[in-house]
Amino acid sequence: MTATPMVEANRVHKYYGSNLVVRGIDLTVAEGEVLCLVGPSGSGKSTFLRCINHLEKVDAGTISVAGELVGYREHNGRLRELRDSEIAKRRSEIGMVFQHFNLFPHMTVLENLIEAPVRVRREKPTEAIERGQALLTRVGLADKADAYPRSLSGGQQQRVAIARALNMRPKLMLFDEPTSALDPELVGEVLDVMRGLAADGMSMIVVTHEIGFAREVANTVAFMDDGVIVESGPPAQVLGDPRHERTRSFLAKVLS
Ligand SMILES: Nc1ncnc2c1ncn2[C@@H]1O[C@H](COP(=O)(O)OP(=O)(O)O)[C@@H](O)[C@H]1O
Ligand SMILES: [Mg+2]
């Protein structure tokens, strides 16, 4: 018996208008695994990530998270889109962290952390606060609970954004270039938090240009170009001894 994968994508296609930007992606992420998705700008990485929590609808193919179809249910062999409330519920089980932190500016750090658990999950504030404080400790910001986002550095804001996502107790975390907007000296503190999450067994898909991080933390690296996964495999193979010329030339650019 094989365990249900955390993410399973089958022949996923996505158009914007007549522009086919995701062209048949197959991919599996096992529970507790880290997949790093690398590739040039415009290759469809963000679009594919957004399909995983149904922020974008796939035009063909299917995605399942923890064995449940994303956005749809099967009825008499046909796919029917879920109701908005069901979509929101499934989406709330997937944490997403973007390049830009998108914290609520008028709320303190701790208020940012408890907003979704209380509003979406209808949790008791006391429980969400207790967990939120523990998460702030975990990301090294225990003393910032009452601070406003604007008073924090970019690296601190991104660590708050990660803690906010974790406070929903997600099954899966998606990161879309979480360090790309940061000053170089702030990248490490965010990667350290992500490294810790991976070590604790969180299932993660990380779009990143941080090749060192991918080499060290990923179970699998997938190189995406022009809407397809050109090659994927263990980091040592894909990053150290790529089979495809497109992968080699991309790596030569980001590593130079
Ligand atoms: N909302 C959108 N509407 C139309 N085209 C889009 C939209 N988002 C992305 N695209 C296009 O889809 C392609 C893939 O973009 P994206 O998924 O953002 O790539 P990446 O994250 O790899 O840089 C690009 O050509 C981009 O211009
Ligand atoms: Mg992108």
Side-chain angles (χ1 to χ4, degrees):
M1 235 184 73
T2 50
T4 307
M6 182 53 70
V7 180
E8 190 163 31
N10 287 304
R11 300 175 183 279
V12 171
H13 291 70
K14 173 69 192 173
Y15 286 90
Y16 286 119
S18 61
N19 189 12
L20 183 57
V21 301
V22 174
R23 306 168 170 254
I25 290 200
D26 293 304
L27 154 166
T28 304
V29 181
E31 185 171 357
E33 281 198 347
V34 178
L35 174 92
C36 284
L37 198 54
V38 302
S41 178
S43 57
K45 304 180 300 296
S46 295
T47 302
F48 176 66
L49 217 56
R50 291 164 59 79
C51 288
I52 296 175
N53 59 10
H54 206 57
L55 287 172
E56 300 288 352
K57 285 182 204 179
V58 304
D59 292 303
T62 56
I63 303 176
S64 299
V65 172
E68 290 192 322
L69 278 175
V70 170
Y72 300 90
R73 89 187 124 83
E74 215 169 331
H75 185 78
N76 295 336
R78 303 182 72 173
L79 295 185
R80 289 211 183 150
E81 193 168 19
L82 295 172
R83 286 196 304 264
D84 286 352
S85 60
E86 294 169 300
I87 290 170
K89 180 176 177 297
R90 291 198 189 176
R91 192 177 285 150
S92 77
E93 296 168 349
I94 303 172
M96 187 143 187
V97 174
F98 303 90
Q99 183 171 344
H100 298 286
F101 332 115
N102 304 323
L103 297 173
F104 301 114
H106 58 289
M107 292 184 190
T108 66
V109 163
L110 191 59
E111 285 166 355
N112 267 277
L113 263 62
I114 67 172
E115 192 270 347
V118 170
R119 186 180 51 81
V120 179
R121 287 270 170 77
R122 309 217 173 280
E123 270 191 67
K124 287 197 193 114
T126 49
E127 286 168 20
I129 288 170
E130 198 171 315
R131 242 189 6 259
Q133 277 163 335
L135 284 167
L136 287 178
T137 302
R138 184 167 168 189
V139 302
L141 295 171
D143 57 335
K144 299 293 185 190
D146 299 323
Y148 282 88
R150 66 174 171 278
S151 69
L152 304 180
S153 71
Q156 290 173 329
Q157 289 186 54
Q158 192 60 301
R159 286 185 280 149
V160 172
I162 294 171
R164 178 176 63 173
L166 292 174
N167 209 18
M168 287 293 275
R169 290 181 282 184
K171 296 175 180 167
L172 166 71
M173 287 286 286
L174 307 176
F175 292 88
D176 195 355
E177 299 198 32
T179 60
S180 293
L182 299 176
D183 291 334
E185 74 274 20
L186 304 178
V187 168
E189 65 194 53
V190 173
L191 294 180
D192 283 345
V193 167
M194 294 167 62
R195 208 176 271 122
L197 260 185
D200 288 347
M202 177 61 79
S203 307
M204 301 167 41
I205 300 181
V206 183
V207 175
T208 188
H209 296 299
E210 294 291 335
I211 299 301
F213 175 85
R215 189 179 284 126
E216 183 198 334
V217 178
N219 299 96
T220 303
V221 173
F223 171 68
M224 193 165 164
D225 193 13
D226 200 18
V228 298
I229 292 179
V230 174
E231 60 182 305
S232 71
Q237 192 262 302
V238 174
L239 301 172
D241 186 20
R243 300 209 168 101
H244 289 263
E245 175 50 35
R246 282 201 272 174
T247 317
R248 278 195 287 274
S249 72
F250 171 75
L251 289 172
K253 277 179 211 150
V254 293
L255 292 172
S256 65

